[in-house]
Amino acid sequence: MTTTPAAPDRPRPAAEVNEEIRALWLRTGGYLRPEQHLEYEKLVAEWAEATSAAATHSPAA
């Protein structure tokens, strides 16, 4: 799975990043080597940013 760069002002959707996180875990069999752990940390940070941005931009109920 390839990573699509996000526009600087607009993160990728959280669902897309979550899919990439799941694919990483499946690809590694649930064990992350140090370089894979760094990739995982970056993805989790990107996911957190995307969920925060979505919550900030969603209309209030």
Side-chain angles (χ1 to χ4, degrees):
M1 177 174 267
T2 57
T3 303
T4 307
D9 60 336
R10 189 165 183 192
R12 292 191 295 163
E16 182 179 326
V17 181
N18 189 39
E19 182 181 323
E20 194 167 336
I21 291 169
R22 289 175 184 266
L24 174 63
W25 280 107
L26 287 172
R27 190 171 62 245
T28 63
Y31 176 77
L32 300 176
R33 294 188 308 255
E35 65 275 6
Q36 293 165 323
H37 199 273
L38 290 174
E39 179 184 357
Y40 172 74
E41 288 177 0
K42 289 177 185 177
L43 288 168
V44 169
E46 184 181 354
W47 175 84
E49 181 181 338
T51 57
S52 177
T56 302
H57 292 79
S58 66

